[in-house]
Amino acid sequence: MDESARMAAVPPDGQPGAEGLMALVAKGDERAFERLYDQLAGPVYGLVRRIVRDPAQSEEVAQEVLVELWKTATRYSPAKGSVLNWAMTLAHRRAVDRVRSARASTERERKATFEAARGRPFDEVAESVATRLERSQVRRCLKVLTELQRESVLLAYYQGYTYREVADVLDTPQGTVKTRLRDGLIRLRDCLGVTA
């Protein structure tokens, strides 16, 4: 190592900088990695947190980046940039990959849910039976209404008349028609067992 490289690796306080620590980490020095970890963990986590947003996932990604630094320390070249820049580049890539992976997973789940709902077989027989049972129950409950209530309900709900049109057809005041409809619908609701 020439004098200028040695000076960059060991600052005036005698403690090696990130580049010096990385050289030691490349040789398998665990204590050097602990010190490097202390220097880089905060900036790496901060960058990842801004991209990933979720605190737990950010911690996980930051941890993966620092483990990758340990495993690939021999590939670091001071000529290509500082250790911090290298770590931040790795952190950015990992964080973006995590976000893309999460989005892809969400999209796959959405598509799978859509396909499952779309592919669900329609049971025509069960639907037909349920519809017939409902019609039968409504017919039975219509018999519980008074003649005037039944007539108003049938005109309004089965023939699509408005209050005014029902009043005109029955030659009855609108207020009376509204009362008959309200009372009739309450009785129908009770008969059908519908809870409000």
Side-chain angles (χ1 to χ4, degrees), residues 121-135:
F122 176 70
D123 190 344
E124 204 172 312
V125 174
E127 190 69 26
S128 172
V129 168
T131 302
R132 272 192 242 132
L133 286 173
E134 288 171 3
R135 284 183 188 151

Side-chain angles (χ1 to χ4, degrees), residues 83 85 105 111 122:
V83 171
N85 285 344
S105 176
K111 284 181 180 178
F122 176 70

Side-chain angles (χ1 to χ4, degrees), residues 151-171:
E151 194 173 36
S152 297
V153 168
L154 290 173
L155 286 171
Y157 290 94
Y158 288 95
Q159 295 184 20
Y161 288 110
T162 64
Y163 288 125
R164 181 176 296 146
E165 292 169 336
V166 172
D168 289 345
V169 169
L170 298 177
D171 195 28

